Amino acid sequence: MRTFPMPSPAEVVKIYKLSARKKLSQNFLFDTNLCERFVALADPFVTDGFVCEVGPGPGSLTRTILTKKPQRLVVVEKDERFLPALKLMRGRASPGVMRIVWGDVLKYKMETAFTGIAFPRPWEVKPHTSLIGNLPFNISTPLVVELLRSIAHRNGIFEYGRTHLVLAFQKEVGERLLAPVAHQRRSRLSVLAQTYTSISDHFIIKGSAFVPPPKVDAAVLRIVPLEVPRLDVPFDDLSMIVRVLFSFRRKMIKRAVRQMFRGDRKLADLFFRKADVPESLRPQEITLEEWGRLCKTYMSMKQYATGIVNFEQEPVNPYFDGGEYGFHRKIAGADRFVEGEDCEDAEGAEAEDENEEEDYPQRHSSFDTTDRIIRPL
C-alpha cells in the first residue's frame, strides 16, 4: 500500500468547509494517538483482514485503518458532505482496497460488504473480519441491538464468521452494556449483549477530545461474539420477554407479567411456577439463567399472552432499550437513497412513570443506587 501525503482530517474539514451536524450527533475525533489506540484494539484482525467502518466522517479512523494494510476496507457514511474527502483518501490508497458506501448503516446489508473476496469461516475459527466505528450517539443502541440479532442468527456481517467489534459509545451506553446483575444501569441491552457476546472495556475518550465537544464522554469497547451463547433460546423471544419485564424496571416483575396476561392472575402465577423465578424480583435482579427460564416459559405460554400487544408498541423515549424499531424510524432520516458518483447505495447492496415511587431492588446487597460508573473504562 502506498503512503500518501494528504491533508489531515482536521485540514479536510477546513478545506471542504464541513461542520458537525447536531441532528446526526456528529462529533469529530482528530487526535492521532487516540485513533491509533482505537484501531489497535481490532488487531490482529485489521492487518491483511477485512474491515467495515461505520460513520467515517472526515476519515480520522479511516486513515489509521489504511496504515494497517487491510485487504479491503468498506466505509459506510450517511452524510454526503464527506464523500469528496473519502474519495480523496480512496484515491491515495492502493487500488481496490477502499470501498465507499453512501447510506444509513441501519439499512445497509452488511453481508454484501465483502462479497466475492472474503469467504465464510467456521464460527470457532479465528475471524478475519472486524467492524469499527466511532458511533453517533443517536444510533448506538439500535445498531447494537441489530448487531446482536445478527450474531444470534449468524447473518449480516457475521456470515463471514465471528466478526469482532470495536466501537465507541456514549459512556452511559457502555455502562449499560457492562452492567452486572442488580446494578442500576442493568437494562435490556445488558441482558442481550451479555447473552451473546463477551465485552471488554478499554479506555475513555473525554468529551473535550471531540470537535465539537459533547457534554458526555465516550467509552471504547471491544465486543466479541461468543462461540456458544450463554442461553439456548431464540433471540426474538428473549428480546420480547426482557422488553416486557423492563417496561416496569422499578417495580416487581409480577406487574408486567400480569399485564402480559391481561390481568389473569392464575396465568401469571402459573408462569412464575413454571419458570421457578420469584415474582417479587425487579428486572435488574434477574440472572441470565433466570432469564433463560423466563424466556422458555414465555415461549410455552405465548398463546395466552394476549396482552403482549401492549408491549409491541415502541416507546417514545429513544434512550429506552426496548424500542429499536420506532427509534430507527425517528433517526434514520430520509427513507430514499440517491446513488452518488463512484459510491454505492447502501439500500441496494418505557418510558418510566415519573410519578411512581422509586423502589430499588433488595435482593442483592451489592446493588448500588449511586449514579457512578461501573468501573474505570
Side-chain angles (χ1 to χ4, degrees):
M1 179 179 296
R2 300 193 302 265
T3 58
F4 44 92
M6 63 174 297
S8 69
E11 291 170 334
V12 166
V13 168
K14 293 180 180 179
I15 292 170
Y16 292 100
K17 299 180 180 179
L18 301 173
S19 60
R21 285 180 174 171
K22 186 174 182 180
K23 69 177 181 179
L24 296 179
S25 296
Q26 290 176 342
N27 303 97
F28 306 143
L29 181 65
F30 296 139
D31 189 305
T32 304
N33 292 329
L34 288 175
C35 290
E36 287 284 351
R37 290 183 66 188
F38 197 122
V39 175
L41 294 178
D43 271 344
F45 309 113
V46 174
T47 302
D48 204 33
F50 302 89
V51 183
C52 181
E53 183 188 358
V54 177
S60 300
L61 290 177
T62 311
R63 186 184 180 104
T64 304
I65 293 169
L66 287 172
T67 64
K68 304 294 182 180
K69 300 184 178 180
Q71 285 193 51
R72 175 63 63 91
L73 168 62
V74 177
V75 298
V76 185
E77 176 56 58
K78 179 178 180 179
D79 191 342
E80 70 278 5
R81 299 176 305 150
F82 295 117
L83 297 183
L86 293 173
K87 290 175 184 177
L88 173 64
M89 192 168 296
R90 182 182 61 186
R92 301 295 177 88
S94 295
V97 168
M98 183 174 169
R99 175 178 158 214
I100 303 170
V101 176
W102 174 25
D104 190 335
V105 69
L106 292 171
K107 297 179 180 180
Y108 177 50
K109 297 178 181 178
M110 290 193 180
E111 64 272 18
T112 66
F114 309 115
T115 301
I117 56 172
F119 300 96
R121 288 191 174 183
W123 202 248
E124 65 276 7
V125 173
K126 178 181 175 181
H128 59 333
T129 52
S130 54
L131 180 69
I132 298 175
N134 173 26
L135 299 183
F137 291 165
N138 64 351
I139 72 164
S140 56
T141 295
L143 179 59
V144 169
V145 171
E146 287 306 312
L147 289 171
L148 292 172
R149 179 178 281 107
S150 293
I151 290 173
H153 296 154
R154 299 190 182 182
N155 60 18
I157 198 168
F158 301 99
E159 287 187 9
Y160 298 101
R162 212 155 41 93
T163 301
H164 286 203
L165 316 176
V166 177
L167 302 170
F169 303 90
Q170 183 177 348
K171 191 170 76 170
E172 180 182 338
V173 176
E175 291 172 353
R176 282 189 278 155
L177 285 164
L178 290 162
V181 174
H183 194 280
Q184 72 171 22
R185 294 289 194 201
R186 187 77 168 173
S187 68
R188 172 172 171 253
L189 195 61
S190 316
V191 176
L192 295 178
Q194 293 168 25
T195 296
Y196 294 100
T197 68
S198 172
I199 308 172
S200 52
D201 51 331
H202 285 273
F203 63 95
I204 288 288
I205 301 178
K206 293 294 184 182
S208 57
F210 294 94
V211 178
K215 296 180 180 179
V216 295
D217 298 337
V220 179
L221 306 181
R222 179 161 53 191
I223 303 175
V224 180
L226 296 171
E227 289 188 28
V228 179
R230 293 189 172 97
L231 298 177
D232 184 19
V233 294
F235 179 90
D236 291 335
D237 289 314
L238 177 62
S239 179
M240 177 55 74
I241 191 62
V242 176
R243 175 190 296 174
V244 168
L245 300 194
F246 268 105
S247 62
F248 298 102
R249 62 179 298 115
R250 294 174 179 170
K251 299 298 178 182
M252 296 180 186
I253 58 176
K254 64 182 179 182
R255 175 170 177 174
V257 171
R258 286 175 183 172
Q259 185 168 330
M260 183 173 71
F261 291 113
R262 293 194 181 276
D264 191 322
R265 295 193 175 216
K266 290 184 179 179
L267 283 175
D269 291 343
L270 176 61
F271 178 87
F272 286 114
R273 287 199 304 272
K274 291 183 68 173
D276 191 24
V277 175
E279 65 177 16
S280 58
L281 295 181
R282 273 71 171 179
Q284 299 96 318
E285 301 178 281
I286 301 172
T287 65
L288 280 184
E289 292 76 12
E290 290 169 333
W291 279 117
R293 297 201 299 272
L294 287 167
C295 182
K296 290 178 180 178
T297 304
Y298 163 70
M299 292 166 60
S300 69
M301 298 180 67
K302 192 187 301 187
Q303 66 270 32
Y304 306 112
T306 56
I308 203 75
V309 295
N310 297 325
F311 299 94
E312 291 175 346
Q313 180 64 38
E314 302 303 334
V316 175
N317 184 353
Y319 293 99
F320 176 64
D321 284 338
E324 65 266 27
Y325 293 112
F327 191 20
H328 282 188
R329 290 193 294 271
K330 180 177 180 181
I331 58 89
D335 291 328
R336 293 179 300 171
F337 286 82
V338 179
E339 189 167 351
E341 181 184 358
D342 299 328
C343 296
E344 299 179 31
D345 183 340
E347 201 167 34
E350 153 181 35
E352 297 171 359
D353 187 346
E354 295 180 355
N355 297 320
E356 288 188 356
E357 180 180 358
E358 192 167 312
D359 192 5
Y360 289 103
Q362 300 299 321
R363 183 187 190 191
H364 298 273
S365 60
S366 62
F367 186 84
D368 187 359
T369 61
T370 59
D371 185 16
R372 65 184 187 185
I373 62 172
I374 298 167
R375 58 184 183 273
L377 294 177

